[in-house]
Amino acid sequence: MIRAGPLSARSGAFCVARVLPLRFGGRANLFGGEMAASESGLVRRTIWVLRAVAAHPEGVGLSEVARESGIPKATCYRVLNVLERESWLSLDPDTRRYRVSLGLLSIVGGLLDSDGAYGHMRRVLTELAARTQETCGFDVLLPPNVMVVAQVPGPRIIGQTLKPVPRTQPVWATSTGKVLLAALDRQSVIHDYAEEFEKHAPEHLGGFDAFIQGLDDIRSRGYAYTIDELEPGASSVAAPVRVRDKFPYAVWIGGPTFRLTKSWIDSTADSLLQASSRLSDLLSITDLQLTNGLPLH
């Protein structure tokens, strides 16, 4: 039986066992109780699958994962399906190859090699937060929502409340959602989102036609902003992050409306766009990915 061993995050992979401190010999779980043999076996197989995928930053298919982990192909497929649904792995719909996703990295990122791609991304956000004095983050389009996969708090006492990561938020009420929809083809947005908008978008947005017109303005401006839309007193501004020929991600700055005024947003846009450009360069030369239905190759 072949099992993938520990790997350095510097090479694009990492040892999952290092962040899942389960003691299988005595089957003790994280909370001190006893784990049933079947549960112990399932967790062990899940770790083997994650190790096998992490050993292939370029992506790996089902058959190879089953061979390297020593797990029957049918069982391996079920484990991979669950990990993909939970955004721990991404699946390229064209090549059918799995990779470790940003959804997982956002959970264990603090334990990874600081010189890895995720660490560099966090540093870009940290520098942007220091420059703007506000909370900054990184989102991906996950229709019909956006998912926050990283965030760095600003230094101010009064600032945006930090919430769990990863988390999803509606595209209609977020600057990242708007800027990522603006990066898509106009007709595609109309075709894919009109019905969803009519069912779930709040009335104060003024209808779908007005929303589409707003996306046209965002395209020409290069960034999007929201003021008191996600919740009263909260504002944000976001720019898209290009990866090769697609715009799957967005970087954002968020804070209280009394500071993030329209004039502040306009004056800060250059710093935001510079961070977007740095992230674009980083992600275009690495294999860091997040499940979002958009293959980057």
Side-chain angles (χ1 to χ4, degrees), residues 104-124:
L104 175 56
L105 295 180
S106 67
I107 297 173
V108 302
L111 300 177
L112 300 180
D113 187 336
S114 61
D115 289 333
Y118 185 82
H120 285 299
M121 183 188 75
R122 294 277 304 183
R123 277 197 287 278
V124 173

Side-chain angles (χ1 to χ4, degrees), residues 62 72-85:
L62 169 61
K73 196 170 182 179
T75 302
C76 193
Y77 177 73
R78 290 195 295 270
V79 173
L80 287 167
N81 263 347
V82 172
L83 292 173
E84 184 201 359
R85 286 200 303 270

Side-chain angles (χ1 to χ4, degrees), residues 222-290:
Y223 60 91
Y225 62 87
T226 60
I227 297 177
D228 297 329
E229 292 186 35
L230 185 60
E231 60 182 68
S235 297
S236 67
V237 55
V241 175
R242 180 173 185 146
V243 180
R244 301 179 181 92
D245 60 343
K246 300 182 185 299
F247 292 90
Y249 309 117
V251 57
W252 54 266
I253 306 168
T257 298
F258 72 85
R259 283 204 305 265
L260 270 66
T261 61
K262 180 62 168 59
S263 60
W264 184 94
I265 288 171
D266 291 338
S267 66
T268 308
D270 283 346
S271 294
L272 178 67
L273 293 171
Q274 289 173 14
S276 169
S277 178
R278 291 178 61 191
L279 290 167
S280 176
D281 291 342
L282 170 66
L283 295 174
S284 292
I285 61 174
T286 68
D287 290 311
L288 201 57
Q289 280 197 2
L290 172 71

